[in-house]
Amino acid sequence: MASASNMDEGVKVDGATVLARALKAQGVEYMFGIVGIPVIEVGMAAQAAGIKYIGMRNEQAASYGASIIGYMTGKPAVCLVVSGPGLVHALAGLSNAKENCWPVIVIGGSSEQDQEAMGSFQELPQVEAARPYCKFSARPNSIERIPFYVEKAYRQSIYGRPGACYLDIAGNMVNATVNEKDVWSSIICPPPPKSFADPESVKVAADLLYYAEKPLVIVGKGAAYAHAEAAVQELVIGAQLPFLPTPMGKGVIPDDHDLCVAPARSKALQEADVILLLGARLNWMLHFGMPPRFNPKVKIIQVDICHEEMNNNIKAAAMLVGSLDTVLNQLNEEINRRPGKFAFSKAAPWWKTLKGKIQQNQQSVQKMMSDKSVPLNFYSAYEDIQKLLPKDCIIVSEGSSTMDISRTMIPNSLPRHRLDAGTYGTMGVGLGFAVAAAVWCRDHAPEKRVVCIQGDSAFGFSGMEIETLCRYKLPVIIIIMNNNGIGFGMDDDSWQSLSESTDLTLTSPPTSLMATAHYERMMAAFGGNGYFARTTEEITKCVSAAMSKQQVSIVNVMINPMSMKKPQDFFWLTKSKI
């Protein structure tokens, strides 16, 4: 269908402007990318349309940044890349968004239409290359129809199970012009419709919870994405049910709530007789719902937006398909109609068992925290860091022990305030996430700080994004937990002895990085602040100094290369023995 007939038939508009206006009309607020032939004009047109453009240093980081906006807001941001290698790099963010179920739209420039199959510049079958990693992948067949494809990509990214979409823009479409009156006038995509679960299934779920002797609620990042914290808290706190947050489900209910059983994770999973899954999937992160990690007789209630997720890897006792906040409201209403008390209470033996396990693990952690010997272990370093961080700051965390231990040591009080490797276990997301979170905070919550806690290996994936942070004056604090390696490394003396070898490619362990690398000195190149800490006293001094300034800072904290996470109950990244 054509646009309004009263438009001047003589007015011409180019493809870049048509694309930018269509994105803006759908509500796109941010565009991350790296421009070059043939998409430079698209970036300019986006700015002219009022879309904020954030120029990154690597397409991977750009795609990660755009995707985390989708998680935080429920609306897709755009990642703009050049043809061929540019899209290949961005496939990292597409696949990560797909696995995490986050809305994002990647737009790639591509070869000109009349040069297809001729060996044109950076020619690649981009629509097909992107298709396995997204919900919708297409190439508009004309400038006039670009808004049609934009609306469809936007809608596909947020409806049903959210995810990634790709649009391919032929190079010759960017600057070519058409009559403005002929441009497709597409509808503005409304918010996703709310869907209710089957009322009979809701009653079954309520019965299961009501009579459970060992209930457990698992709060997934789907609950955070759905902004369902009020309904989750009404259920969990109202019924006094033990809950276990997944890594990015942290903060839906504050971690410090006395119903949180994260420190007794293994015990809770192994013994629960009824488990309510709220926006969490029974994949590798939850050991597929199978023994021995789960009670073989456990009855599982699944709440998910996606029909196909039901009975995945297990046979569910109740299936509640629908919008999570809506379904929880149904469940809360059903429970509130019931007289009397739940079978489970805090006087139950199982609750005492969980509390005993929590105290046991906390004592073990306390022992590691009290060890202040240099080089520091992760726990002693985190003890001082967490005391200095505001409760409402957004935590970006990635790295092996760095990320896993931070989930224990750095609590979250608010939803969507922990951004980490997620379902795909992707390393390299940290600085892309941090840039995006800081841009969003500047526009919507300027009082919040963004703190990016990374291992030294994780920092290396996108370290040059510190220039992006400084260029846009985004006051992110980067804390590098530096153990000289990937997972673990070598101490200074061992590295020095090894470095005298004639061929380090044959003698340096694959996990090792340079010992005591001074990453903080990179900040001098861009006008930020760099700090180096070996002791807990130095950590307090350095983090306090970074927090006091509205500038980009790196705090490089040296960690014992052999400091590892304790094999404890709240370690997520363990394989199921099935």
Side-chain angles (χ1 to χ4, degrees), residues 30-87:
Y30 299 106
M31 178 181 285
F32 299 78
I34 296 180
V35 297
I37 298 172
V39 297
I40 296 174
E41 291 83 358
V42 174
M44 295 177 176
Q47 289 178 312
I51 297 173
K52 298 190 176 186
Y53 178 84
I54 301 96
M56 306 288 281
R57 300 301 299 263
N58 181 283
E59 288 95 351
Q60 287 187 19
S63 60
Y64 295 143
S67 68
I68 206 64
I69 289 289
Y71 168 69
M72 294 173 66
T73 69
K75 300 193 306 180
V78 167
C79 174
L80 178 68
V81 299
V82 299
S83 52
L87 175 63

Side-chain angles (χ1 to χ4, degrees), residues 29-330:
E29 190 175 0
Y30 299 106
M31 178 181 285
F32 299 78
I34 296 180
V35 297
I37 298 172
V39 297
I40 296 174
E41 291 83 358
V42 174
M44 295 177 176
Q47 289 178 312
I51 297 173
K52 298 190 176 186
Y53 178 84
I54 301 96
M56 306 288 281
R57 300 301 299 263
N58 181 283
E59 288 95 351
Q60 287 187 19
S63 60
Y64 295 143
S67 68
I68 206 64
I69 289 289
Y71 168 69
M72 294 173 66
T73 69
K75 300 193 306 180
V78 167
C79 174
L80 178 68
V81 299
V82 299
S83 52
L87 175 63
V88 170
H89 294 165
L91 292 179
L94 267 177
S95 58
N96 190 62
K98 177 179 181 291
E99 289 302 310
N100 282 290
C101 308
W102 297 339
V104 68
I105 299 172
V106 173
I107 295 176
S110 64
S111 55
E112 299 190 4
Q113 292 169 303
D114 61 353
Q115 296 177 357
E116 287 188 15
M118 296 176 65
S120 61
F121 177 64
Q122 295 182 334
E123 185 173 2
L124 181 78
Q126 295 179 186
V127 174
E128 293 307 312
R131 198 180 303 281
Y133 309 110
C134 54
K135 294 179 67 179
F136 175 69
S137 181
R139 177 170 177 156
N141 56 4
S142 69
I143 294 174
E144 291 88 343
R145 282 177 55 82
I146 285 175
F148 166 84
Y149 288 91
V150 167
E151 187 278 333
K152 189 160 187 173
Y154 190 96
R155 175 163 40 87
Q156 290 271 346
S157 75
I158 62 174
Y159 276 35
R161 170 171 281 175
C165 293
Y166 174 70
L167 291 179
D168 197 68
I169 304 298
N172 59 297
M173 284 190 183
V174 174
N175 291 313
T177 61
V178 296
N179 288 322
E180 191 172 31
K181 73 176 184 65
D182 294 329
V183 174
W184 185 275
S185 179
S186 185
I187 63 169
I188 304 304
C189 177
K194 297 290 185 179
S195 54
F196 291 81
D198 171 35
E200 292 303 314
S201 296
V202 173
K203 291 178 182 179
V204 171
D207 281 338
L208 289 169
L209 289 172
Y210 201 75
Y211 295 109
E213 294 181 356
K214 298 180 179 180
L216 178 67
V217 178
I218 297 179
V219 182
K221 68 173 176 288
Y225 177 84
H227 291 245
E229 48 268 24
V232 173
Q233 291 178 25
E234 180 182 346
L235 172 66
V236 171
I237 299 172
Q240 291 290 283
L241 300 174
F243 76 92
L244 175 68
T246 65
M248 289 181 70
K250 285 163 60 68
V252 171
I253 305 173
D255 287 342
D256 60 3
H257 197 282
D258 64 357
L259 290 168
C260 180
V261 295
R265 177 183 186 271
S266 290
K267 177 67 71 174
L269 292 178
Q270 287 171 347
E271 296 193 11
D273 59 0
V274 173
I275 292 178
L276 173 62
L277 281 179
L278 299 180
R281 290 171 283 171
L282 291 174
N283 53 23
W284 67 277
M285 293 188 79
L286 285 173
H287 317 297
F288 314 106
M290 295 181 177
R293 298 286 183 176
F294 281 63
N295 180 346
K297 296 182 180 180
V298 66
K299 296 177 180 177
I300 292 179
I301 306 165
Q302 287 183 278
V303 182
D304 202 283
I305 192 69
C306 180
H307 290 76
E308 289 80 2
E309 191 59 38
M310 297 300 152
N311 296 314
N312 189 34
N313 296 325
I314 53 94
K315 185 178 186 303
M319 299 176 289
L320 307 185
V321 182
S323 305
L324 196 139
D325 54 344
T326 303
V327 172
L328 276 178
N329 288 333
Q330 289 180 271

Side-chain angles (χ1 to χ4, degrees), residues 366-434:
Q366 187 64 44
K367 183 178 179 180
M368 291 183 284
M369 287 165 51
S370 64
D371 179 7
K372 306 296 184 181
S373 58
V374 177
L376 297 168
N377 68 66
F378 281 96
Y379 294 88
S380 57
Y382 273 134
E383 181 188 22
D384 291 272
I385 290 170
Q386 62 91 15
K387 292 176 181 176
L388 300 168
L389 301 184
K391 292 188 72 172
D392 68 343
C393 70
I394 292 179
I395 301 294
V396 180
S397 184
E398 68 165 330
S400 179
S401 296
T402 297
M403 178 175 62
D404 299 334
I405 297 173
S406 78
R407 290 166 175 166
T408 299
M409 294 297 298
I410 308 293
N412 285 88
S413 299
L414 297 169
R416 299 169 297 281
H417 279 56
R418 176 170 292 269
L419 315 176
D420 70 13
T423 305
Y424 214 28
T426 307
M427 290 295 100
V429 297
L431 286 174
F433 283 5

